[in-house]
Amino acid sequence: MSSGIAYTLKVSRRSKHARLKMVPHEGLVVVVPEGYDRKQIPVLLHRYAAWIERAASRLERPQPDGKPALPNGLPCLVGFRSTGEEWQVEYDPSRRRSAERNGAGGSSILLPVDGSERDAARDLLLLWLRKRAAAILVPMLEEQSEAFGLRYASAGVRLQKSRWGSCSTRGRITLNTKLLFLPPELARYIMTHELCHTAEMNHSDSFWRLVERHDPLFRQHDRAMRDGWKYVPGWVTGHYL
Ligand SMILES: [Zn+2]
């Protein structure tokens, strides 16, 4: 049995049993007692593969997304992983309304509010986010729909708490605004998943076969979505730092 997982081995006199730990900057560490039969290590890694994967993904979690923010948690820079877009956020209470600016220095969103007014500023940011999501995600869905030959009746975006996407029996697809923050392959996977529901309104074997036809890596992507929330910045979810 070959595991292919990289780890550091540490022999501990005090340990009675072998154990695994995930250490920042070090990765997986296997601690074994003296005299431990090292041939057992691959078995151990295999048995705890799911834990290792979860612990490793927690380690990689950005803090919270590595972007500069105001002390109250509101962003100074917003990055959409799905497209690679980055937006500077400027809080300017002397302005009358929100505006986007695209110049040589990149893109900015100008908000007519003081950044210290957290709730009011966040409301405006979320409003803007929803507009960006509609402008980006719906055309992405349309493109995939045409490529796959899977038609939907209508589409929209919503800031949802617990679902990434949905497809109604009438063929209306709703996408979560937060898809903007996912890596492109995961955002596309959610769209593929919902588009396949236009043909198969269930999670039957034939549904998954259809998904696989359009996304051969769907298993990997579906698994990655279990902690897809880690990509969403705290100011969007409302969980401030
Ligand atoms: Zn589904």
Side-chain angles (χ1 to χ4, degrees), residues 154-201:
S154 62
V157 297
R158 274 175 62 193
L159 192 64
Q160 288 171 298
K161 272 210 169 67
S162 59
R163 309 176 80 177
W164 289 103
S166 60
C167 179
S168 78
T169 46
R170 292 185 175 178
R172 176 169 177 81
I173 292 181
T174 304
L175 300 170
N176 194 328
T177 303
K178 295 168 186 166
L179 291 181
L180 286 176
F181 298 102
L182 294 182
E185 67 277 12
L186 297 185
R188 273 198 300 269
Y189 164 70
I190 296 296
M191 294 181 188
T192 302
H193 185 118
E194 301 311 334
L195 283 169
C196 289
H197 276 317
T198 61
E200 295 279 347
M201 247 313 165

Coordinates of all heavy atoms in Angstrom, one line a residue, residues 154-201:
S154 N -34.6 30.3 -16.5 CA -34.2 31.7 -16.1 C -33.1 31.5 -15.1 O -32.9 30.4 -14.5 CB -35.4 32.5 -15.6 OG -35.9 31.8 -14.4
A155 N -32.4 32.6 -14.8 CA -31.3 32.5 -13.8 C -31.2 33.8 -13.1 O -31.5 34.9 -13.6 CB -30.0 32.2 -14.5
G156 N -30.7 33.7 -11.8 CA -30.5 34.9 -11.0 C -29.5 34.6 -9.9 O -29.1 33.4 -9.8
V157 N -29.1 35.6 -9.2 CA -28.1 35.4 -8.1 C -28.7 35.9 -6.8 O -29.6 36.9 -6.9 CB -26.8 36.2 -8.4 CG1 -26.0 35.7 -9.6 CG2 -27.0 37.7 -8.5
R158 N -28.4 35.3 -5.8 CA -28.8 35.7 -4.4 C -27.7 35.5 -3.4 O -26.9 34.5 -3.6 CB -30.1 34.9 -4.0 CG -31.4 35.5 -4.5 CD -32.5 34.6 -4.2 NE -32.7 34.4 -2.7 CZ -33.4 33.4 -2.2 NH1 -34.1 32.6 -2.9 NH2 -33.6 33.4 -0.9
L159 N -27.7 36.3 -2.4 CA -26.7 36.1 -1.3 C -27.4 35.1 -0.4 O -28.3 35.5 0.4 CB -26.4 37.4 -0.6 CG -25.2 37.4 0.3 CD1 -23.9 37.1 -0.4 CD2 -25.1 38.7 1.1
Q160 N -27.0 33.8 -0.4 CA -27.6 32.8 0.4 C -26.7 32.3 1.4 O -25.5 32.3 1.3 CB -28.0 31.6 -0.5 CG -29.2 32.0 -1.4 CD -29.5 30.9 -2.5 OE1 -28.6 30.6 -3.3 NE2 -30.6 30.3 -2.4
K161 N -27.3 31.9 2.5 CA -26.5 31.4 3.7 C -25.9 30.0 3.5 O -24.8 29.8 3.8 CB -27.3 31.5 5.0 CG -27.3 32.8 5.6 CD -27.5 32.7 7.2 CE -27.2 33.9 7.9 NZ -28.2 35.0 7.6
S162 N -26.8 29.1 3.1 CA -26.5 27.7 3.2 C -26.4 26.9 1.9 O -26.1 25.8 1.9 CB -27.4 27.0 4.2 OG -28.7 27.2 3.7
R163 N -26.8 27.6 0.8 CA -26.7 26.8 -0.5 C -25.9 27.6 -1.5 O -26.0 28.8 -1.6 CB -28.2 26.7 -1.1 CG -29.1 26.2 -0.1 CD -30.5 26.1 -0.7 NE -30.7 25.0 -1.6 CZ -31.8 24.7 -2.2 NH1 -32.8 25.5 -2.1 NH2 -31.9 23.6 -2.9
W164 N -25.2 26.8 -2.3 CA -24.3 27.4 -3.3 C -25.1 27.7 -4.6 O -24.8 28.5 -5.4 CB -23.1 26.5 -3.6 CG -22.1 26.5 -2.6 CD1 -21.9 25.5 -1.6 CD2 -21.2 27.5 -2.2 NE1 -20.9 25.9 -0.8 CE2 -20.4 27.1 -1.1 CE3 -20.9 28.8 -2.8 CZ2 -19.4 27.8 -0.5 CZ3 -19.8 29.5 -2.2 CH2 -19.1 29.0 -1.1
G165 N -26.1 26.9 -4.8 CA -26.9 27.0 -6.0 C -28.2 26.2 -5.9 O -28.2 25.3 -5.0
S166 N -29.2 26.4 -6.7 CA -30.3 25.6 -6.7 C -31.0 25.6 -8.1 O -30.7 26.6 -8.9 CB -31.3 26.0 -5.7 OG -31.7 27.3 -5.9
C167 N -31.8 24.6 -8.4 CA -32.5 24.6 -9.7 C -33.9 24.2 -9.4 O -34.1 23.1 -8.8 CB -31.8 23.6 -10.6 SG -32.6 23.4 -12.2
S168 N -34.9 25.0 -9.7 CA -36.3 24.7 -9.4 C -36.8 23.7 -10.5 O -36.2 23.5 -11.5 CB -37.1 26.0 -9.4 OG -37.4 26.4 -10.8
T169 N -38.0 23.1 -10.2 CA -38.6 22.2 -11.1 C -39.0 22.9 -12.4 O -39.1 22.3 -13.4 CB -39.9 21.6 -10.5 OG1 -40.7 22.6 -9.9 CG2 -39.6 20.5 -9.4
R170 N -39.1 24.2 -12.3 CA -39.4 25.0 -13.6 C -38.2 25.4 -14.3 O -38.3 26.1 -15.3 CB -40.2 26.2 -13.2 CG -41.6 25.8 -12.7 CD -42.4 27.1 -12.5 NE -43.8 26.7 -12.2 CZ -44.7 27.6 -11.9 NH1 -44.5 28.9 -12.0 NH2 -45.9 27.2 -11.6
G171 N -37.0 25.0 -13.8 CA -35.8 25.2 -14.5 C -35.2 26.6 -14.2 O -34.4 27.1 -15.0
R172 N -35.6 27.2 -13.1 CA -34.9 28.4 -12.7 C -33.7 28.1 -11.9 O -33.8 27.5 -10.8 CB -35.8 29.4 -11.9 CG -35.1 30.6 -11.5 CD -36.0 31.7 -10.9 NE -35.2 32.8 -10.4 CZ -34.7 33.8 -11.2 NH1 -34.9 33.8 -12.5 NH2 -34.0 34.8 -10.6
I173 N -32.5 28.6 -12.3 CA -31.3 28.4 -11.6 C -30.9 29.6 -10.7 O -30.9 30.7 -11.3 CB -30.1 28.0 -12.5 CG1 -30.4 26.6 -13.1 CG2 -28.8 28.0 -11.8 CD1 -29.4 26.1 -14.0
T174 N -30.7 29.4 -9.5 CA -30.3 30.5 -8.6 C -28.9 30.2 -8.1 O -28.6 29.1 -7.7 CB -31.2 30.6 -7.3 OG1 -32.6 30.7 -7.8 CG2 -30.8 31.8 -6.5
L175 N -28.0 31.2 -8.3 CA -26.6 31.0 -7.9 C -26.3 31.9 -6.7 O -26.8 33.0 -6.7 CB -25.7 31.4 -9.1 CG -25.9 30.6 -10.4 CD1 -25.1 31.2 -11.5 CD2 -25.4 29.1 -10.2
N176 N -25.5 31.4 -5.8 CA -25.1 32.1 -4.7 C -24.0 33.2 -5.1 O -23.0 32.8 -5.7 CB -24.5 31.2 -3.6 CG -24.4 31.9 -2.2 OD1 -24.2 33.1 -2.1 ND2 -24.6 31.1 -1.2
T177 N -24.3 34.4 -4.7 CA -23.3 35.5 -4.9 C -21.9 35.1 -4.5 O -20.9 35.5 -5.1 CB -23.8 36.7 -4.1 OG1 -25.1 37.1 -4.5 CG2 -22.9 37.9 -4.4
K178 N -21.8 34.3 -3.5 CA -20.5 33.9 -2.9 C -19.7 33.1 -3.9 O -18.5 32.9 -3.6 CB -20.7 33.2 -1.6 CG -21.3 34.1 -0.5 CD -21.8 33.3 0.7 CE -22.5 34.2 1.7 NZ -23.2 33.4 2.7
L179 N -20.3 32.6 -4.9 CA -19.5 31.8 -5.9 C -18.4 32.6 -6.5 O -17.4 32.1 -6.9 CB -20.4 31.3 -7.1 CG -21.5 30.3 -6.8 CD1 -22.2 30.0 -8.1 CD2 -20.9 29.0 -6.3
L180 N -18.5 33.9 -6.5 CA -17.5 34.8 -7.0 C -16.1 34.6 -6.3 O -15.1 34.8 -6.9 CB -17.8 36.3 -6.7 CG -18.9 36.9 -7.5 CD1 -19.2 38.3 -7.0 CD2 -18.5 37.0 -9.0
F181 N -16.2 34.1 -5.0 CA -15.0 34.0 -4.2 C -14.3 32.6 -4.4 O -13.2 32.3 -3.9 CB -15.2 34.2 -2.7 CG -15.7 35.6 -2.5 CD1 -17.0 35.9 -2.3 CD2 -14.8 36.7 -2.5 CE1 -17.5 37.2 -2.1 CE2 -15.2 38.0 -2.4 CZ -16.5 38.3 -2.1
L182 N -15.0 31.7 -5.1 CA -14.5 30.3 -5.2 C -13.4 30.3 -6.3 O -13.5 31.0 -7.3 CB -15.6 29.3 -5.6 CG -16.7 29.1 -4.5 CD1 -17.7 28.0 -5.1 CD2 -16.1 28.6 -3.2
P183 N -12.5 29.3 -6.3 CA -11.6 29.1 -7.4 C -12.5 28.7 -8.6 O -13.6 28.2 -8.5 CB -10.8 27.8 -7.0 CG -10.9 27.8 -5.5 CD -12.2 28.4 -5.1
P184 N -12.1 29.1 -9.8 CA -12.9 29.0 -11.0 C -13.5 27.6 -11.2 O -14.6 27.4 -11.6 CB -12.0 29.4 -12.2 CG -10.7 29.7 -11.6 CD -10.8 29.8 -10.2
E185 N -12.6 26.6 -11.0 CA -13.1 25.2 -11.2 C -14.2 24.8 -10.3 O -15.1 24.0 -10.7 CB -11.9 24.2 -11.2 CG -11.3 24.0 -9.8 CD -10.3 25.0 -9.5 OE1 -10.2 26.0 -10.1 OE2 -9.6 24.8 -8.5
L186 N -14.3 25.4 -9.1 CA -15.3 25.0 -8.2 C -16.6 25.8 -8.5 O -17.7 25.3 -8.4 CB -14.9 25.3 -6.7 CG -13.7 24.5 -6.2 CD1 -13.5 24.7 -4.7 CD2 -14.0 23.0 -6.4
A187 N -16.5 27.1 -8.9 CA -17.6 27.9 -9.3 C -18.3 27.2 -10.5 O -19.5 27.0 -10.6 CB -17.2 29.3 -9.7
R188 N -17.4 26.7 -11.5 CA -17.9 26.0 -12.6 C -18.6 24.7 -12.3 O -19.6 24.3 -12.9 CB -16.8 25.8 -13.7 CG -16.6 26.9 -14.6 CD -15.8 26.5 -15.8 NE -14.5 25.9 -15.4 CZ -13.4 26.7 -15.3 NH1 -13.4 27.9 -15.6 NH2 -12.2 26.1 -15.0
Y189 N -18.0 24.0 -11.3 CA -18.6 22.8 -10.9 C -20.1 23.0 -10.3 O -21.0 22.2 -10.7 CB -17.8 22.0 -9.8 CG -18.6 21.0 -9.1 CD1 -19.0 19.8 -9.8 CD2 -19.1 21.2 -7.8 CE1 -19.8 18.8 -9.2 CE2 -19.9 20.2 -7.2 CZ -20.2 19.1 -7.9 OH -21.0 18.1 -7.3
I190 N -20.3 24.0 -9.5 CA -21.6 24.3 -9.0 C -22.6 24.6 -10.2 O -23.7 24.1 -10.2 CB -21.6 25.5 -8.1 CG1 -20.7 25.2 -6.8 CG2 -23.0 25.9 -7.6 CD1 -21.3 24.1 -5.9
M191 N -22.1 25.3 -11.2 CA -23.0 25.6 -12.3 C -23.3 24.3 -13.1 O -24.4 24.1 -13.5 CB -22.3 26.6 -13.2 CG -22.1 28.0 -12.6 SD -21.4 29.2 -13.6 CE -21.2 30.5 -12.5
T192 N -22.3 23.5 -13.3 CA -22.5 22.2 -14.0 C -23.5 21.4 -13.2 O -24.4 20.8 -13.8 CB -21.1 21.4 -14.0 OG1 -20.2 22.2 -14.7 CG2 -21.3 20.1 -14.8
H193 N -23.3 21.3 -11.9 CA -24.3 20.6 -11.1 C -25.7 21.0 -11.3 O -26.6 20.2 -11.5 CB -23.8 20.7 -9.6 CG -24.6 19.9 -8.6 ND1 -24.0 18.9 -7.8 CD2 -25.9 19.9 -8.3 CE1 -24.9 18.4 -7.1 NE2 -26.1 19.0 -7.3
E194 N -25.9 22.4 -11.2 CA -27.3 22.9 -11.3 C -27.8 22.7 -12.7 O -29.0 22.4 -12.9 CB -27.4 24.3 -10.9 CG -26.9 24.6 -9.4 CD -27.6 23.7 -8.4 OE1 -28.7 23.2 -8.7 OE2 -27.0 23.5 -7.3
L195 N -26.9 22.9 -13.7 CA -27.4 22.7 -15.1 C -27.8 21.2 -15.3 O -28.8 21.0 -16.1 CB -26.3 23.0 -16.1 CG -26.1 24.5 -16.3 CD1 -24.7 24.8 -17.1 CD2 -27.2 25.2 -17.1
C196 N -27.1 20.3 -14.7 CA -27.5 18.9 -14.9 C -28.8 18.6 -14.2 O -29.5 17.7 -14.6 CB -26.4 18.0 -14.3 SG -24.9 18.0 -15.4
H197 N -29.2 19.4 -13.2 CA -30.5 19.2 -12.6 C -31.6 19.6 -13.6 O -32.8 19.2 -13.3 CB -30.6 20.0 -11.3 CG -30.1 19.3 -10.1 ND1 -30.3 18.0 -9.9 CD2 -29.3 19.8 -9.1 CE1 -29.7 17.6 -8.8 NE2 -29.1 18.7 -8.3
T198 N -31.4 20.4 -14.6 CA -32.4 20.7 -15.5 C -32.8 19.5 -16.3 O -34.0 19.4 -16.8 CB -32.0 21.8 -16.6 OG1 -30.9 21.3 -17.3 CG2 -31.6 23.1 -15.9
A199 N -31.9 18.5 -16.4 CA -32.3 17.2 -17.1 C -32.6 16.1 -16.0 O -33.5 15.3 -16.3 CB -31.1 16.7 -17.9
E200 N -32.0 16.1 -14.9 CA -32.2 15.1 -13.9 C -32.5 15.8 -12.5 O -31.6 16.3 -11.9 CB -31.0 14.2 -13.7 CG -30.7 13.4 -14.9 CD -31.5 12.1 -15.0 OE1 -32.2 11.8 -14.0 OE2 -31.5 11.5 -16.1
M201 N -33.8 15.8 -12.1 CA -34.2 16.6 -10.9 C -33.9 15.8 -9.6 O -34.8 15.7 -8.8 CB -35.6 16.9 -11.0 CG -35.9 18.4 -11.1 SD -35.0 19.3 -10.0 CE -35.1 20.9 -10.6

